[in-house]
Amino acid sequence: MKRSLPELLSLLMITGLLWSFILVPVQSLPPTGWSGDDNFHFLVEVNNVSAYHSNLSSPIPVDLSTALAIELSINVIENLTLHSGLFTMSYLSIPIINQPFDINTFLPSGFSADLLNESLDIGTILGVGGLSLFSGTVTGVFSFTYSLLTDPDTNVTVTEDFVLQVGPTGPAAIMSVTGLITLGFTVMSVFGLLMAMDDFQQGILAARKMRGAKRGSDVGIFPRAVVLRRRPRRKKDQESVDKEELKRRVSEAAGKAWDGKRCPKCGKKWKVDAPNCSKCKIESSAAVAYFSQDIADYAPKAMKVMRPKSKMPVGKFSKKLKLKPNKGGALAAAMTDMGIFQTKSVKVPLMKVAFAGMTLSGTYWSWMQILSGAIPSWIDLLITATIGLVVSVAIAYFMNWLARVPPLGYD
């Protein structure tokens, strides 16, 4: 009996010591990197990094070529019922993983367990064949809902967020697939906006030249941006215009349009105040007649190019007639004087400016996400793109107001 007592005491001490490791509340030994509250603790590790230490300034780097390791452990401090859990991952606030857990299990104080130890292949979600289609930040959330045994009607939710950095950041991110796509959209938007603004400038300059004129002959040569219109065909007027009369009237009107800069016959530059062309020796008076007649020969074809109820800018009109812009502009001015054409506007790229501005503003958050790891939502993208669209449309309509012209033709 004396020999068995020490053995029994030793067994009881060892058993008590083991139970103490299980039943002692975790809060007596504050865990590092654990999340939760005074009643329930949980540890989320992503690629062996605690989610507790992950935030926007310290994201967890992720390589899509390797699986994402996720581990989850829990420690119960007070007797409680664990109702549910939720695991989500989002890109631009759009869920790419949404996994709820229906648990509804009573857990005693001191209970601990490893609930999850999985590998998640997010390369199949954010890429194709290991090639990343997205880069930037991905946010994740683990949450649990429980109620204490002493207060079963009150549900408590504890959460932990984490941030993943997919792909490189900074200048190196520009060479990623997402970076190159964003760069391409940005370059196209800037180039499109510059081209549209150049077209607007041409339209404003054309309107300035047209403004104040009362007849097409006052302008001489219509600029490329001027929009020509042709009235609808009327039953009583089949527009059976005599071709010779048409050519004569166009020739008279177009005679004032030669600018004297290049010889209309050979194309050589005409010297200022020179009596004739230094190459083909045509005199200035004959050059005017040659210029006028050359234009007048295209008048019948112009009637076919500009069908009734149609409209087109002078630049396109000249191209369809295979005329140089100055000759096409002179022909358009002459036929406007005859009442065949009318013009009351110039071509301005309203839609180009609007969409280029919207696209350019929409790339702002892409750059912020790639270079600095920002976490925008699709609402942020929508608001930014909308603001860019509104500003672009306002600028476009202001420039359209600057490009207004008086109506000419249809007398």
Side-chain angles (χ1 to χ4, degrees), residues 148 172 188 195 200 210 213 245 250 395 408:
L148 294 174
M188 287 191 297
M195 292 294 293
F200 252 123
M210 300 286 291
E245 177 65 14
V250 171
I395 294 174
L408 298 176

Side-chain angles (χ1 to χ4, degrees), residues 42 44-46 51 68-72 84-90 95-103 116 118-122 125 138-144 158-162 164:
F42 65 98
V44 178
E45 290 185 322
V46 181
L68 195 69
I70 300 179
E71 299 179 19
L72 174 64
S84 62
L86 179 64
F87 169 46
T88 64
M89 290 180 63
S90 304
I96 57 177
I97 295 177
N98 187 5
Q99 180 62 58
F101 302 101
D102 189 15
I103 303 173
L116 186 64
E118 297 290 337
S119 295
L120 179 63
D121 186 10
I122 64 171
I125 303 173
V138 175
T139 58
V141 177
F142 266 100
S143 66
F144 291 96
V158 289
T159 63
E160 183 59 64
D161 303 335
F162 60 91
L164 306 180

Side-chain angles (χ1 to χ4, degrees), residues 75-89:
N75 259 329
V76 180
I77 312 304
E78 299 291 342
N79 295 327
L80 54 82
T81 300
L82 188 59
H83 297 291
S84 62
L86 179 64
F87 169 46
T88 64
M89 290 180 63

Side-chain angles (χ1 to χ4, degrees), residues 203-204 206-214 219 401-406:
I204 292 173
R208 183 179 299 177
K209 185 176 181 180
M210 300 286 291
R211 203 170 294 132
K214 299 186 180 299
V219 182
W401 179 80
L402 294 177
R404 66 194 187 282
V405 296

Side-chain angles (χ1 to χ4, degrees), residues 300-361:
K301 187 177 180 181
M303 299 282 288
K304 297 180 180 180
V305 168
M306 285 288 295
R307 296 290 184 180
K309 299 176 63 175
S310 64
K311 65 178 182 178
M312 69 177 65
V314 171
K316 185 177 181 180
F317 173 75
S318 303
K319 188 176 181 180
K320 282 183 172 292
L321 292 175
K322 298 181 179 180
L323 281 174
K324 292 182 178 180
N326 63 329
K327 291 185 177 181
L331 176 60
M335 298 184 74
T336 300
D337 274 353
M338 294 175 60
I340 299 174
F341 295 158
Q342 184 193 54
T343 177
K344 54 183 179 179
S345 62
V346 295
K347 182 182 178 182
V348 287
L350 285 171
M351 297 300 292
K352 288 183 179 179
V353 172
F355 281 105
M358 181 183 68
T359 305
L360 186 61
S361 62

